Amino acid sequence: DPRGIYTCQAEDKQQSLQVYYRMCQNCIEVDAPTISGIVIADVVATVFLAVAVYCITGQDKGRMSRASDRQNLIANEQVYQ
């Protein structure tokens, strides 16, 4: 426990410093390889998701839509309601 009063003495001078430091009981230490692994996994997952979305949406390009842009006009004999 690093809390407490620390004193520094140099020749005829004395300085005191009171430290309030709270230690984390349930913390885990994360080092650089762990962080880089998380970042790389996130980038790979994002690229995989982007490729999957591209492949799924790209399948409809080859097919023609059955719906036509033309509208059927009403014949003159029919009553417009």
Side-chain angles (χ1 to χ4, degrees), residues 6-71:
Y6 293 88
T7 54
C8 179
Q9 293 179 347
E11 298 177 5
D12 60 343
K13 293 183 180 181
Q14 181 178 354
Q15 287 287 333
S16 299
L17 178 67
Q18 187 166 6
V19 176
Y20 293 103
Y21 186 75
R22 189 172 155 190
M23 299 294 288
C24 183
Q25 303 269 335
N26 297 327
C27 296
I28 53 173
E29 190 173 328
V30 180
D31 52 353
T34 305
I35 293 174
S36 62
I38 292 171
V39 169
I40 290 171
D42 186 30
V43 169
V44 168
T46 303
V47 168
F48 179 74
L49 183 64
V51 169
V53 168
Y54 176 76
C55 289
I56 290 171
T57 58
Q59 290 178 356
D60 292 339
K61 285 184 178 180
R63 299 183 202 157
M64 292 297 291
S65 176
R66 292 185 181 181
S68 176
D69 290 340
R70 297 181 185 172
Q71 293 180 355

